[in-house]
Amino acid sequence: ELCQDKKQESLISHLNNFSNIKALSLCHNQLDNLFLFKAIDNFSYLMSLEKLDLYGNYFNDLSVKIVIFFLKIQCKIKYLNFGRNCISNAGAKILADNIAAFKFMHTLIVTYNFIDDTGFKDIAVNFNAFLNLDICDFRYNRFSRKVYNFLLDQGSPKNFMI
């Protein structure tokens, strides 16, 4: 645990040295909300960021809110991967409420989380905004047959995967 804390602190302290990076992968680092609370000030240095990969951590709905808050300020993001985290329906609602603000985004991945039909209802409200993406991947969540039927009714959009 102490080693992990030092690793996170080191990463946070070095973010401001990478103001021109376009891609940041924080995959499989056992990161959680506490990391984001500590790092949020340093994320403001990443104004050129286009790709943020957060796959395989412990991020939850609050993490989605923090990241979306940062990205709305930064707003050049093209690729966002929240796959294999702990995101549930509240996180899906945050994504659904904010997806239209990301004019440059072409890929959103939210696979292997805990979103069910309730979360998909929020996605369905802003479904057209999700269709503007080249890839929108919500596979391996907890959707029922109703969600699949909804997509069939929409003509099974090829960019939207569940």
Side-chain angles (χ1 to χ4, degrees), residues 50-53 77-81 105-109:
E50 295 178 358
K51 179 179 180 179
L52 181 58
D53 197 339
I77 198 76
K78 295 179 180 177
Y79 175 100
L80 178 60
N81 186 350
M105 187 180 291
H106 60 71
T107 302
L108 175 65
I109 301 171

Side-chain angles (χ1 to χ4, degrees), residues 76-88:
K76 291 179 186 156
I77 198 76
K78 295 179 180 177
Y79 175 100
L80 178 60
N81 186 350
F82 267 119
R84 204 175 285 278
N85 278 283
C86 303
I87 299 166
S88 67

Side-chain angles (χ1 to χ4, degrees), residues 3-19 21 24-26 29-46 59 66:
C3 181
Q4 183 66 21
D5 288 344
K6 287 187 185 257
K7 183 173 137 182
Q8 288 183 16
E9 293 295 330
S10 176
L11 175 62
I12 292 167
S13 68
H14 286 89
L15 282 176
N16 60 349
N17 296 328
F18 301 106
S19 60
I21 66 168
L24 178 62
S25 177
L26 298 173
N29 278 299
Q30 300 175 340
L31 302 175
D32 58 15
N33 292 346
L34 184 58
F35 167 80
L36 288 175
F37 280 126
K38 291 178 183 177
I40 195 68
D41 290 336
N42 291 17
F43 273 125
S44 63
Y45 291 102
L46 305 176
F59 294 130
I66 294 167

Side-chain angles (χ1 to χ4, degrees), residues 48-112:
S48 298
L49 191 65
E50 295 178 358
K51 179 179 180 179
L52 181 58
D53 197 339
L54 302 171
Y55 185 89
N57 287 289
Y58 301 119
F59 294 130
N60 62 19
D61 302 326
L62 180 58
S63 305
V64 173
K65 189 172 188 172
I66 294 167
V67 169
I68 293 298
F69 173 79
F70 157 70
L71 293 177
K72 281 177 86 171
I73 294 168
Q74 192 266 7
C75 217
K76 291 179 186 156
I77 198 76
K78 295 179 180 177
Y79 175 100
L80 178 60
N81 186 350
F82 267 119
R84 204 175 285 278
N85 278 283
C86 303
I87 299 166
S88 67
N89 296 330
K93 179 166 178 37
I94 293 164
L95 288 170
D97 290 347
N98 290 283
I99 193 68
F102 299 104
K103 304 291 184 206
F104 299 105
M105 187 180 291
H106 60 71
T107 302
L108 175 65
I109 301 171
V110 195
T111 55
Y112 295 100

